[in-house]
Amino acid sequence: DTGVSQDPRHKITKRGQNVTFRCDPISEHNRLYWYRQTLGQGPEFLTYFQNEAQLEKSRLLSDRFSAERPKGSFSTLEIQRTEQGDSAMYLCASSSRSGGSPTDTQYFGPGTRLTVL
Amino acid sequence: KQEVTQIPAALSVPEGENLVLNCSFTDSAIYNLQWFRQDPGKGLTSLLLIQSSQREQTSGRLNASLDKSSGRSTLYIAASQPGDSATYLCAVRGGSYIPTFGRGTSLIVHP
């Protein structure tokens, strides 16, 4: 399967701990997005990479959150000193302007569900 | 700031009905609009993407239209089936490529 993958699928942690999530995009995609989704809401944009460059960051992304995309391939999202309000589904998506797919169609991974106790 | 509203929030229909889901947005300066479906506890699956220069896109029983000037898009589902039950989300993307999502329409199609 060559879709977007995320790891882990579920994470339960205690308040104050650090957590790290990984996203592997579709291999030829140069754009990668992170979103957060809570129950009953649409996904909220967190940050966006084009290749290895982080081009946009939402104000939702506090200084406890950091994202990287070394070498423009996989990406990691780290949350330090987790709080109960961080409990949500964290979604990753990738897209590309090249190739046979419609321009800039976003393809989503299955998400990582974070529960902070 | 772009705001996206989806109406209705929830819909329950018998199998076989034709459906219209609505998405409205406040800033008409968009790059594209994408419709997704999301099954409970899962990620999003792309259904249709409409570029700002296009008026509609079709895929199978789905047809999405875009009226940029009025800030509206509709997703038409023909001959609905129980397998269509899911939450349908629209996302609007402006020139900065940052997408804004609506809250979605939760659809139940019962046999």
Side-chain angles (χ1 to χ4, degrees), chain B residues 20-96:
Chain B
V20 175
L21 308 182
N22 297 291
C23 172
S24 62
F25 46 94
T26 54
D27 185 350
S28 62
I30 67 169
Y31 178 61
N32 60 36
L33 183 146
Q34 194 166 357
W35 283 93
F36 295 88
R37 115 174 228 160
Q38 185 174 30
D39 294 291
K42 307 288 187 182
L44 281 67
T45 300
S46 177
L47 298 173
L48 291 164
L49 180 144
I50 310 177
Q51 298 293 351
S52 62
S53 58
Q54 298 174 323
R55 287 195 174 270
E56 66 178 322
Q57 286 286 335
T58 298
S59 176
R61 295 183 293 109
L62 305 179
N63 175 276
S65 66
L66 174 64
D67 184 342
K68 204 172 64 165
S69 62
S70 67
R72 292 182 183 178
S73 176
T74 60
L75 179 67
Y76 177 81
I77 303 176
S80 57
Q81 302 171 358
D84 295 330
S85 298
T87 296
Y88 290 81
L89 295 149
C90 72
V92 174
R93 201 159 355 158
S96 66

Side-chain angles (χ1 to χ4, degrees), chain A residues 33 35 37 97 104-106, chain B residues 31 34 38 93 99 103:
Chain A
Y33 303 79
Y35 297 87
Q37 186 178 28
R97 291 187 67 102
D104 262 351
T105 296
Q106 292 190 68
Chain B
Y31 178 61
Q34 194 166 357
Q38 185 174 30
R93 201 159 355 158
R103 290 187 173 187

